[in-house]
Each structure stands twice: as C-alpha cells, then as structure tokens.
Amino acid sequence: MSRNRRELPEINAGSMADIAFLLLIFFLVTTTMDVDSGISRKLPPMPEENIETPEIHKKNIFVVLINKNNKILSGIGSPTSMVEINGDGSISSSLKENIKIFVSNNGLNLNSSESPEKAIVSLQNQEGTSYNMYIQVQNELTKAYNELRNEKSNIDYGKDFNKLDVEEQKIIKKFYPMKVSEAETKAN
Amino acid sequence: MSKFKKGGGKGMPAISTASLPDIVFMLLFFFMVTTVMRETTLKVEVSQPEATEVKKMEKKSLVSYIYIGSPTINQQSIFGTKARIQLNDVTFSRKEVSEIQNFIIAERLSKDEDEIPYMTTSIKADQNVTMGIVTDVKTELRKVDALKINYSTKKPKEDN
C-alpha cells in the first residue's frame, strides 16, 4: 500500500451476496437440526462357556419385571409388588423412589442392599413387552441413579453432578455404579 | 455538531454492502457445519419413544444405526406389516437377524482400527415394536462384541 500503484478497477462483488444466499438457502433447507440423543447402555459380553455365574445374594438384587401386558412388577429379590401406571401412561414415581431407597440402603435395612456397589437392578422383560414401556423403565432407572449421584455430589462438592469436572464425576460414578442386569427375554 | 454537518451536504451516501457477503458466508458456514445429511432413506416407520434422561451422541461418524419398525406404506405390499430391521438400505425380517453381524463387521472395516472401541450402535426402534425383536438385535450385537449401544429417543413434549 505504501507504494503508489495505479489503481486497479474494483471487481464488482455485488453478486457475491446472491451466490452466498443461494448456498445458504440450500443448506437451510437440507438441515435437520435434531440432535441425536438417547439412553446409553453397555451390553454385557457373551458369557464364556465353563464359567460359573457368581452367586449374588438375593437382597442385593432389585427386580423389575415388565410383562407382556406392559404391567410392571418390582421388588427386592423377586418381583412382588405392582408398580402403578399413571393415567397419562407414565410410570408412577414410586418405582424410582424404591430404586433409590434400595441402592442407597447401605445395609441399614437387613433385607435390602448392602452397599451401592453391590446393588444390582435386574431388568426383565417378555417377548410381548412394548419397547415404549421398556424405554420408560430404563428412563426411570437412569433418573434414579442421576438423582442419587446428584445428591451425593451436592453433599461432597456443593454443586450439581453435571457441573463437576471429569475426575470428580468419576469418583461419584464409582460410588454409585449403575449396575443393570438384563436377563434374556422370557418366552411368554 | 458542526463537525458532522460539513460532510453530509448532498444527499445520503450509499451504505456499503461489501460486507454483506461476509455476513452471509458466516451464516452459511454455520449451517454447513451443523447440517447432518441423511444418508439412508427409511424403509421402516420409526416413531421413537420419549425419554428425559438422555445423553447426546458424540462422534457421529462412529455411530452405526439400526432401525426397527414396521415397513412404510409403500413397502407394505412387499413385506407386510410385521416389524423389520433396517440396516443401511436393506430391511431384514426377524428371522434374518443374524445379518446384523455382517453389518457390524462391515462397519468396522470402514473405520480405523484404533477407533473401533469407540464405535456405538444406535438402536432406533419404533415405540410400538415388541421387546422380542429388540432383544434379538441385542443378542446379535453381543455376539459380535458391539457392546456400546444407545436407545435413540426423542424429547418429550413440553406439556407435562
């Protein structure tokens, strides 16, 4: 710029905007803004042969059974009590509360889990169970654990779980490990 | 005040639109980056169940999708209304569920070896399918050791 050049004729950039708009509209139309989200789970590996399944004490298992009529039964050790379903089709929050009480029992009640680490939620479903109900139960389950972790992190760190850094989250997750066992679907 | 009056004597100067393309390009890049183009056309009807405790999917390139649902209307003449599994562009009946193994293996071959442990399988199932078919799919996934899964859901509507 310091040298005195002869001025070049300016290229007309007026139509640039039009071209950019055209592209913009194309992407606007093709864009799908929905973010993929869902409930993440890890499946157990296929059982190897000749390996005995470890014995788990009955009181450490909370069974949730969804039968083919989409009725939910739950209970410690065996599914004994029926979980109500609200008028709008959502599951009564008692399931979540029961799971929370069960997991955070810490041996207090002798008929319930010994520690959060040993507590296992066993989710059973049947051939005719609807996927929608299954996801709703999974959702309640996740909610129970999320709330427990949140409570723990509020006591330990004074803030919500999702505001903690990765290391702190790991500690909490180790304290409340989510152990969900899914038995094979029963035939009827 | 007099300072301003001096310059603008005759009419309004034209506003420079030279920066307009820049603004539009900025928007353009935003949409280009956020755009996800659907690669497969759905041949099964999938209306996902609702859930609140969801996690966002990370690393889209490492996700393989399995769709489960009843065939769309124009497919029903060929396949009936029974729930089918769609992998890429092909649908399979429940009896052919073992095709999932080939699908996962093919997906793995297209990725770098060090990325394989991070691969996730997203199960996009219709809320009306039964667990029988979903469990079959899960068993096949376990057989090929594709253990990270995600049940795809949608956000519930606001009126709670």
Side-chain angles (χ1 to χ4, degrees):
Chain A
M1 288 298 145
S2 55
R3 261 183 282 157
N4 262 340
R5 265 197 238 152
R6 225 181 295 156
E7 259 182 63
L8 282 166
E10 210 176 310
I11 297 167
N12 183 14
S15 52
M16 182 92 113
D18 301 356
I19 299 164
F21 264 122
L22 216 74
L23 279 166
L24 177 62
I25 289 162
F26 169 73
F27 277 98
L28 264 170
V29 170
T30 53
T31 296
T32 42
M33 282 292 245
D34 56 330
V35 198
D36 249 337
S37 57
I39 299 173
S40 292
R41 283 283 177 279
K42 200 153 185 200
L43 297 172
M46 266 317 210
E48 284 169 49
E49 279 168 47
N50 309 326
I51 286 188
E52 283 176 42
T53 43
E55 288 257 327
I56 300 159
H57 210 286
K58 259 197 168 182
K59 67 179 183 183
N60 283 324
I61 306 174
F62 188 92
V63 183
V64 183
L65 169 75
I66 321 165
N67 76 4
K68 57 175 190 267
N69 301 322
N70 294 325
K71 298 257 159 52
I72 304 165
L73 294 161
S74 75
I76 296 160
S78 60
T80 45
S81 63
M82 182 117 145
V83 180
E84 274 179 52
I85 290 169
N86 298 335
D88 58 346
S90 62
I91 298 164
S92 149
S93 62
S94 68
L95 176 67
K96 184 192 78 192
E97 295 303 328
N98 283 339
I99 292 171
K100 280 173 77 177
I101 292 164
F102 163 75
V103 172
S104 58
N105 180 51
N106 277 316
L108 222 72
N109 180 343
L110 290 177
N111 296 319
S112 190
S113 79
E114 288 166 53
S115 68
E117 213 164 291
K118 284 188 178 166
I120 293 172
V121 179
S122 163
L123 188 53
Q124 298 171 2
N125 55 63
Q126 293 178 340
E127 171 82 38
T129 305
S130 90
Y131 181 67
N132 185 31
M133 194 46 94
Y134 173 77
I135 288 296
Q136 282 202 43
V137 172
Q138 287 274 22
N139 193 38
E140 289 298 309
L141 234 160
T142 321
K143 208 188 263 175
Y145 271 94
N146 282 350
E147 283 180 16
L148 282 171
R149 285 173 181 172
N150 218 358
E151 282 164 21
K152 173 87 179 151
S153 90
N154 266 314
I155 293 166
D156 286 7
Y157 299 100
K159 47 186 169 181
D160 282 350
F161 179 70
N162 49 18
K163 292 203 177 102
L164 301 177
D165 61 45
V166 181
E167 282 307 307
E168 289 167 334
Q169 285 197 350
K170 260 191 190 160
I171 295 167
I172 303 267
K173 272 188 188 167
K174 214 180 162 194
F175 190 81
Y176 281 123
M178 192 158 167
K179 293 192 175 173
V180 179
S181 129
E182 289 186 48
E184 307 273 302
T185 305
K186 288 191 182 114
N188 41 60
Chain B
M1 285 304 258
S2 59
K3 206 178 178 184
F4 295 112
K5 270 192 176 168
K6 259 181 212 169
K10 302 165 211 162
M12 290 262 280
I15 296 165
S16 166
T17 53
S19 56
L20 190 61
D22 301 356
I23 298 164
V24 177
F25 267 120
M26 222 156 71
L27 278 167
L28 176 63
F29 286 132
F30 169 74
F31 278 99
M32 276 176 74
V33 169
T34 54
T35 295
V36 199
M37 294 221 201
R38 186 166 276 172
E39 296 140 55
T40 50
T41 43
L42 281 182
K43 288 180 178 165
V44 289
E45 206 83 55
V46 173
S47 127
Q48 292 157 14
E50 293 174 356
T52 52
E53 310 295 307
V54 295
K55 263 193 196 159
K56 264 190 205 162
M57 294 276 274
E58 288 150 20
K59 297 213 184 104
K60 282 246 170 87
S61 58
L62 292 177
V63 180
S64 354
Y65 295 97
I66 295 178
Y67 303 91
I68 309 170
S70 49
T72 49
I73 292 166
N74 46 16
Q75 298 273 317
Q76 278 178 8
S77 54
I78 317 167
F79 298 121
T81 51
K82 242 184 149 191
R84 290 177 73 82
I85 304 156
Q86 182 177 357
L87 310 167
N88 288 330
D89 273 334
V90 194
T91 62
F92 297 97
S93 73
R94 195 177 161 187
K95 286 206 183 77
E96 301 162 314
V97 75
S98 57
E99 283 295 325
I100 286 174
Q101 297 190 22
N102 297 332
F103 168 71
I104 294 291
I105 290 162
E107 286 280 307
R108 279 188 187 151
L109 285 175
S110 66
K111 307 272 154 41
D112 279 346
E113 208 166 306
D114 52 337
E115 287 177 333
I116 288 174
Y118 303 103
M119 283 178 70
T120 313
T121 313
S122 174
I123 298 180
K124 288 181 180 253
D126 189 90
Q127 52 182 327
N128 295 321
V129 299
T130 55
M131 276 312 288
I133 190 164
V134 179
T135 310
D136 285 357
V137 168
K138 275 159 67 183
T139 314
E140 290 304 316
L141 288 174
R142 283 172 69 190
K143 279 184 195 158
V144 280
D145 235 32
L147 301 178
K148 279 179 81 173
I149 58 161
N150 183 291
Y151 302 105
S152 188
T153 59
K154 64 181 179 198
K155 283 204 194 97
K157 288 184 197 82
E158 292 299 305
D159 54 289
N160 277 327

